[in-house]
Amino acid sequence: MQSDDQELRDKLARLGKNLAWAWDAEAQSVFRDLDPVRWEEGGHDPTAQLAALTDADLETSARAHDLHPRVDRLLLEHAHYLERRTDWGPVRAGVLAGGPVAYFSAEFGLHESLPIYSGGLGVLSGDHVKSASDLGVPLVAVGLLYAGGYFTQHFDETGWQHETYPTVDPELQPLTAVLDADGEPLRIHLSTREGDLHAGVWEAHVGRVRLFLLDSDVLENDEQDRGLTARLYGGDRRMRARQELLLGVGGVRALHAMGIRPAVFHLNEGHSAFAPLEAARELMEREGRGFHDACFEVASRTVFTTHTPVPAGHDRFDPGLVEQQLGPLRDALGISEHDLFALGRVRPDDGGESFCMTVLALKLSHRANGVSALHGRVSRKMWTCLWPGRPEQDVPIGHITNGVHLPTWLAPAMARVYDEALPLGWRRAQAEPETWAPIEQVDDRTLWTARTSLKEELIRFVRHRSPERARKRGEDESVAEALESALSADRLLIGFARRFATYKRAGLVLDDLERLDSLVNHPQRPLTLVFAGKAHPKDDGGKALLQRVFQVSRDPRFVGKVVLLEGYDMAVGRKLVSGVDVWLNNPRRPLEASGTSGQKVVLNGGLNCSIPDGWWAEAYDGHNGFSIGTGGVHMDPAVQDARDAVDLMHALEEEVVPLYYDRDQHGLPHRWLGRVRRSIATLSWRFNSDRMVRDYAAGLYLPAAGLKLADFRHL
Ligand SMILES: *Cc1c(COP(=O)(O)O)cnc(C)c1O
């Protein structure tokens, strides 16, 4: 008996060691079944779950939940998944196997138990890697391991955000130290003008993709450098520059040290834009090429994705700082300070211009893209200065619209609806429009039952977390009690969750509280709102917005009807995107490059109500959701905000609320569900990350590698 349990424990540990469990519903339910309470309290962490489990507990749950055969089946399926040769990647893009794509990103949002992401960019990187794995597109990923992760959020009794930093202990994560040829932990060494910097490398298995995370917390470094990778987006400019040195230059060196020769470099955002410089240096060393020749060669194999038109999203450094960190690399490249700085400047000879990582990335990549059609246009306009004399439409920045990883974001209750309605193998054919057409035949009752169960699940979650947190922060007992019966499955539920960056305008719907009161407390057609989100620790404007939402949620008119959930992360995100009726998105156009949370809502049968910005500008067809206004912009943001606030109220009052409460004799909202079906049919196939990665592979990776997509009629 004893050895049986040890064997089961080993198998579970093996299952937890590949992050593929994080998008396998059955694997998650196996880990949950070991101890459901601890699973929730421990943040859905298999390693922690197993470590805390006594042998006796394991034996009991193994018997109660039939774990032995379930785990065996999962391991078998997983082994099959790793070997699958029939996916899109091996069939169409198999030629890339000669040299993988090296995908660089400062953050990866793979699962809430590995908090090395802050928001949309990280979640997108995670989704990209997962789809590359599912499709079998040869790709390795490179990032940083943040020992203090991204923060955990707490509000005080006034609603002001406070941050605590978790400890990301690599030993307690599904990470393995990469070893060198002698079996010692691999070390990467970088020299700067202020001394050497060293790093170790951790490897995570994300399905079929290997993710390498550099970690400066090694004995060879001094105290300060050991803390270099302590926090994501923390510290001062010097720390940021040194992190980016580690990510870009260190990342290329790490791949080299492991014998990985990428065919293509993909810089996901400008943080990693130093990478091509190191790749050029290697090429010069290996083949004795000159700097310009080597740079051209590397640039032809480099893809750059820009993610925001917001100025704060583009790293800028003082040139002195760049020389301080990159000086020795510059020496090796044999170029002058002027030539190095010129690479990060729009006007090479302007000594007053700072060094911009986006400019560097655009100059060192021959293929660049924005993340939606509109963002592509905005980016071309923004960067015409780099191609003087060229008409805007000829600026070489294209677009690939973001998508989301279906198995990560689709809730089981809706997955069951699709299993019934869609053709066999629909998941693997998710990027084809035909796959989704049969959704139009699903009857109202089936759809509504699934939707209601997801909404009830979210409401249970809110009713558990909100009063608990209110009591913890010492709020009045009457508030806590009201929160125990917050929201209601009978009422229209609108969700808003994202980073509280000011351009996302979380406060827009609170602009006119009288009018909101009449909507929320309408006697026949009430409306409820649930908010969540984090503000950057240094963004007092974002924190003030959170506080405003918090205070409205404590206004007697709104208690239990407007709720602010503490601690937005991927777990809270999954609950919200699957449980709400409507997802509200009201950024100041055109500042939302894409946005992806609304795409998660589509998969789960909710409807989007959004400003036509980012992905929604190309997604909305008049019948598959709701539009707030028609995309007007104004030079004065205050004017634009005021107009949009009015348009938002108008959309809610005139369209969203009436449609939701328009019921047939069975109490079903027939026309609403028609819109849900249309949303699923027209949007699911386009805005998933399988489609996105296929677009990257066919449109950018293969051409960058000098290869072509296989025409599968010839296979
Ligand atoms: C999907 C997601 C985001 C991205 O949301 P946007 O709509 O792009 O703002 C941010 N954070 C988390 C936790 C997410 O799951």
Side-chain angles (χ1 to χ4, degrees):
M1 234 32 218
Q2 190 60 26
S3 70
D4 243 22
D5 287 339
Q6 187 53 46
E7 200 188 325
L8 180 61
R9 193 182 280 277
D10 292 345
K11 286 177 180 171
L12 284 163
R14 237 193 307 145
L15 194 61
K17 221 31 182 170
N18 189 314
L19 279 153
W21 69 262
W23 68 94
D24 184 320
E26 165 67 358
Q28 288 162 63
S29 79
V30 161
F31 286 120
R32 184 183 309 110
D33 286 346
L34 292 170
D35 184 339
V37 174
R38 194 157 43 217
W39 180 246
E40 290 306 322
E41 285 170 358
H44 312 142
D45 183 339
T47 317
Q49 182 81 330
L50 280 174
L53 200 70
T54 66
D55 289 337
D57 289 346
L58 179 61
E59 200 187 323
T60 314
S61 4
R63 235 183 288 123
H65 299 286
D66 210 16
L67 292 185
H68 285 278
R70 287 170 71 194
V71 171
D72 284 342
R73 196 168 334 117
L74 280 165
L75 285 172
L76 210 65
E77 280 168 10
H78 180 64
H80 173 75
Y81 171 85
L82 295 182
E83 295 301 321
R84 227 159 56 187
R85 303 299 305 154
T86 52
D87 292 307
W88 187 89
V91 175
R92 305 293 307 277
V95 284
L96 268 173
V101 175
Y103 180 87
F104 288 74
S105 183
E107 41 174 318
F108 285 92
L110 295 159
H111 188 259
E112 56 271 19
S113 60
L114 184 54
I116 55 170
Y117 64 94
S118 79
L121 180 71
V123 173
L124 180 84
S125 306
D127 283 1
H128 192 107
V129 165
K130 290 170 181 175
S131 270
S133 169
D134 290 346
L135 293 167
V137 169
L139 182 143
V140 295
V142 180
L144 299 178
L145 182 71
Y146 302 98
Y150 200 60
F151 70 89
T152 309
Q153 176 187 56
H154 299 281
F155 300 123
D156 63 22
E157 67 286 358
T158 73
W160 192 255
Q161 172 184 291
H162 297 267
E163 301 93 23
T164 52
Y165 288 84
T167 313
V168 181
D169 181 348
E171 305 290 348
L172 300 179
Q173 288 285 347
L175 300 172
T176 320
V178 175
L179 305 179
D180 64 17
D182 301 325
E184 295 298 319
L186 179 66
R187 286 290 177 266
I188 303 305
H189 311 284
L190 301 166
S191 9
T192 73
R193 295 276 190 242
E194 49 166 356
D196 292 349
L197 173 63
H198 312 274
V201 185
W202 298 95
E203 176 171 1
H205 293 275
V206 187
R208 297 190 253 197
V209 171
R210 304 167 75 191
L211 165 64
F212 301 106
L213 298 170
L214 282 85
D215 177 8
S216 73
D217 188 10
V218 294
L219 289 170
E220 294 87 335
N221 281 330
D222 63 23
E223 271 312 300
Q224 203 178 20
D225 279 337
R226 289 191 67 170
L228 184 65
T229 49
R231 286 180 189 180
L232 171 58
Y233 305 144
D236 56 10
R237 298 315 294 162
R238 175 186 166 276
M239 186 159 168
R240 177 68 82 92
R242 228 163 146 76
Q243 280 189 344
E244 296 187 356
L245 173 77
L246 189 59
L247 175 64
V249 179
V252 172
R253 282 206 187 155
L255 293 177
H256 183 89
M258 292 183 288
I260 296 170
R261 290 262 195 108
V264 175
F265 296 97
H266 185 174
L267 314 176
N268 190 46
E269 196 45 294
H271 308 114
S272 55
F274 293 137
L277 290 175
E278 169 62 13
R281 191 202 59 78
E282 272 182 11
L283 200 58
M284 290 164 71
E285 186 180 83
R286 195 168 66 238
E287 299 182 6
R289 307 238 210 142
F291 174 72
H292 289 288
D293 189 26
C295 256
F296 187 88
E297 158 78 25
V298 170
S300 71
R301 294 195 284 118
T302 300
V303 172
F304 168 54
T305 304
T306 178
H307 284 271
T308 182
V310 178
H314 299 264
D315 270 324
R316 290 183 171 277
F317 297 117
D318 179 67
L321 181 57
V322 174
E323 169 62 15
Q324 185 189 46
Q325 301 304 324
L326 258 74
L329 176 61
R330 178 175 71 71
D331 294 341
L333 292 169
I335 57 173
S336 67
E337 273 195 12
H338 172 273
D339 289 348
L340 175 63
F341 299 161
L343 289 170
R345 282 177 174 153
V346 175
R347 295 169 306 276
D349 297 321
D350 181 353
E353 189 180 329
S354 58
F355 187 95
C356 175
M357 295 299 276
T358 308
V359 173
L360 179 68
L362 286 167
K363 291 191 180 185
L364 294 181
S365 60
H366 285 179
R367 290 173 178 80
N369 68 291
V371 289
S372 69
L374 177 59
H375 179 235
R377 284 205 298 283
V378 169
S379 301
R380 285 190 287 280
K381 185 180 169 116
M382 198 167 157
W383 297 110
T384 37
C385 50
L386 281 176
W387 287 271
R390 273 212 209 184
E392 206 172 289
Q393 70 270 20
D394 294 342
V395 168
I397 303 176
H399 81 272
I400 290 180
T401 305
N402 287 342
V404 295
H405 186 245
L406 181 144
T408 297
W409 298 108
L410 175 60
M414 274 307 283
R416 283 192 288 274
V417 172
Y418 298 145
D419 284 336
E420 284 292 312
L422 306 185
L424 213 65
W426 63 272
R427 286 164 199 266
R428 283 165 77 179
Q430 63 182 270
E432 315 295 341
E434 315 81 78
T435 301
W436 298 89
I439 193 67
E440 298 284 5
Q441 267 68 61
V442 174
D443 63 87
D444 287 351
R445 176 72 63 193
T446 304
L447 204 48
W448 192 240
T449 305
R451 289 292 318 144
T452 306
S453 74
L454 288 171
K455 187 169 173 181
E456 284 169 348
E457 211 175 292
L458 168 61
I459 292 173
R460 268 197 302 279
F461 177 71
V462 170
R463 289 178 178 181
H464 177 74
R465 175 172 285 204
S466 303
E468 181 191 65
R469 299 289 172 98
R471 290 195 175 100
K472 222 180 247 173
R473 72 177 77 94
E475 287 191 79
D476 213 79
E477 182 55 25
S478 65
V479 172
E481 272 172 23
L483 292 172
E484 275 170 356
S485 55
L487 311 180
S488 155
D490 303 331
R491 298 171 183 219
L492 171 62
L493 177 56
I494 297 184
F496 182 104
R498 42 187 54 83
R499 286 182 306 112
F500 268 51
T502 36
Y503 79 86
K504 292 179 185 259
R505 302 190 297 189
L508 203 70
V509 70
L510 312 176
D511 199 53
D512 181 347
L513 287 185
E514 299 285 304
R515 205 161 160 187
L516 186 66
D517 179 23
S518 70
L519 275 170
V520 166
N521 292 305
H522 191 283
Q524 283 87 42
R525 306 184 310 185
L527 174 159
T528 50
L529 275 160
V530 55
F531 287 89
K534 288 177 174 175
H536 187 278
K538 287 182 188 153
D539 178 12
D540 282 350
K543 288 190 188 181
L545 261 176
L546 273 169
Q547 189 171 44
R548 163 126 176 92
V549 176
F550 182 90
Q551 287 175 352
V552 169
S553 77
R554 295 304 184 256
D555 179 320
R557 289 172 291 179
F558 300 119
V559 176
K561 299 162 186 168
V562 175
V563 177
L564 173 62
L565 265 178
E566 192 174 83
Y568 184 45
D569 65 2
M570 288 178 72
V572 172
R574 277 199 307 276
K575 286 264 192 293
L576 286 169
V577 298
S578 57
V580 299
D581 298 303
V582 171
W583 195 247
L584 182 62
N585 178 45
N586 46 237
R588 189 179 295 133
R589 183 175 149 125
L591 297 182
E592 187 63 86
S594 168
T596 54
S597 53
Q599 302 170 346
K600 304 166 191 168
V601 172
V602 168
L603 295 174
N604 288 294
L607 290 176
N608 280 272
C609 176
S610 172
I611 295 273
D613 194 14
W615 79 286
W616 193 241
E618 68 200 78
Y620 179 62
D621 72 356
H623 311 280
N624 57 3
F626 307 96
S627 178
I628 302 167
T630 52
V633 297
H634 196 278
M635 276 171 56
D636 181 354
V639 174
Q640 191 171 333
D641 292 359
R643 280 185 192 162
D644 288 349
V646 171
D647 285 343
L648 166 57
M649 280 300 159
H650 185 82
L652 294 180
E653 288 165 355
E654 301 300 321
E655 287 198 75
V656 180
V657 172
L659 197 68
Y660 181 81
Y661 286 105
D662 176 15
R663 303 300 169 96
D664 67 12
Q665 68 273 29
H666 309 294
L668 295 171
H670 180 67
R671 291 200 304 135
W672 180 274
L673 291 170
R675 207 168 272 229
V676 168
R677 280 185 286 262
R678 181 162 179 112
S679 161
I680 294 168
T682 58
L683 304 173
S684 300
W685 66 272
R686 289 171 69 193
F687 299 103
N688 62 73
S689 54
D690 275 16
R691 188 276 308 150
M692 173 179 78
V693 170
R694 279 163 51 159
D695 283 354
Y696 274 102
L700 300 174
Y701 297 161
L702 286 164
L707 299 166
K708 279 212 235 108
L709 196 66
D711 183 344
F712 64 154
R713 279 167 310 193
H714 297 316
L715 287 172

